[in-house]
Amino acid sequence: MSNDKIERETFIKAPAERVWAVLTEPAEVDGWFSPGGPSEIDLRPGGVMTLNHGQYGAFPMLIVTVDPPRHFAYRWASAYPGETATEDNSTLVQFFLQPEAEGTRLRLVESGFAGLEIPADRERTAGYDSHSGGWTEMVDVLREYAEK
């Protein structure tokens, strides 16, 4: 098993436009993924999305792909709070949305752990194992939030 890529999938009983909003609108992101809010999102490739994860720090993420309402991707330097994500210090987080009858199929992929240098004191919160478990929980939180 590779410790480079995490993949999670869920079905959300909401239209793709609603799921897209939950992923990309600051007030919505604050409701499920940025507990320290408020989020700031410059929604364009090359823009920065800053999320505040409370005790873990604020993370300026570099937006890579904005293709509403199908594909949203950003780089996340989770081992380096306060540092803007680059190809050298981050993983790539991608959300793929596929409209289906009665809702949206959401697939999350986070990749790039194998080539990432993570300081020992951040491994517990920024490493592959941490994110693998975290995304299992957060995909459920996202689904429940989007279905409200």
Side-chain angles (χ1 to χ4, degrees), residues 88-128:
D88 297 325
N89 69 358
S90 67
T91 55
L92 179 65
V93 178
Q94 300 183 81
F95 296 92
F96 298 93
L97 288 69
Q98 179 65 48
E100 293 185 7
E102 309 295 321
T104 304
R105 176 80 41 197
L106 172 79
R107 186 169 62 97
L108 163 109
V109 178
E110 183 176 10
S111 59
F113 288 96
L116 190 59
E117 216 172 285
I118 300 174
D121 65 330
R122 298 293 299 182
E123 185 67 38
R124 186 179 64 74
T125 59
Y128 175 88

Side-chain angles (χ1 to χ4, degrees), residues 2-147:
S2 168
N3 283 353
D4 185 58
K5 182 176 12 175
I6 297 164
E7 295 187 63
R8 300 289 179 269
E9 188 173 301
T10 192
F11 180 77
I12 301 172
K13 294 177 188 169
E17 292 76 14
R18 166 70 180 144
V19 178
W20 180 262
V22 167
L23 294 171
T24 62
E25 293 179 9
E28 299 286 3
V29 174
D30 290 346
W32 75 276
F33 196 54
S34 185
S39 297
E40 296 176 14
I41 302 174
D42 179 8
L43 190 60
R44 62 181 176 83
V48 173
M49 174 172 78
T50 302
L51 305 185
N52 187 333
H53 287 276
Q55 67 178 335
Y56 303 108
F59 298 90
M61 304 174 188
L62 182 65
I63 297 174
V64 176
T65 305
V66 178
D67 181 15
R70 293 182 178 16
H71 183 207
F72 180 53
Y74 55 81
R75 299 205 70 85
W76 182 13
S78 63
Y80 303 96
E83 287 186 32
T84 301
T86 68
E87 287 191 23
D88 297 325
N89 69 358
S90 67
T91 55
L92 179 65
V93 178
Q94 300 183 81
F95 296 92
F96 298 93
L97 288 69
Q98 179 65 48
E100 293 185 7
E102 309 295 321
T104 304
R105 176 80 41 197
L106 172 79
R107 186 169 62 97
L108 163 109
V109 178
E110 183 176 10
S111 59
F113 288 96
L116 190 59
E117 216 172 285
I118 300 174
D121 65 330
R122 298 293 299 182
E123 185 67 38
R124 186 179 64 74
T125 59
Y128 175 88
D129 291 337
S130 167
H131 283 226
S132 183
W135 280 124
T136 298
E137 177 184 343
M138 293 313 297
V139 164
D140 286 342
V141 169
L142 186 159
R143 178 182 44 75
E144 291 169 8
Y145 183 86
E147 290 178 350

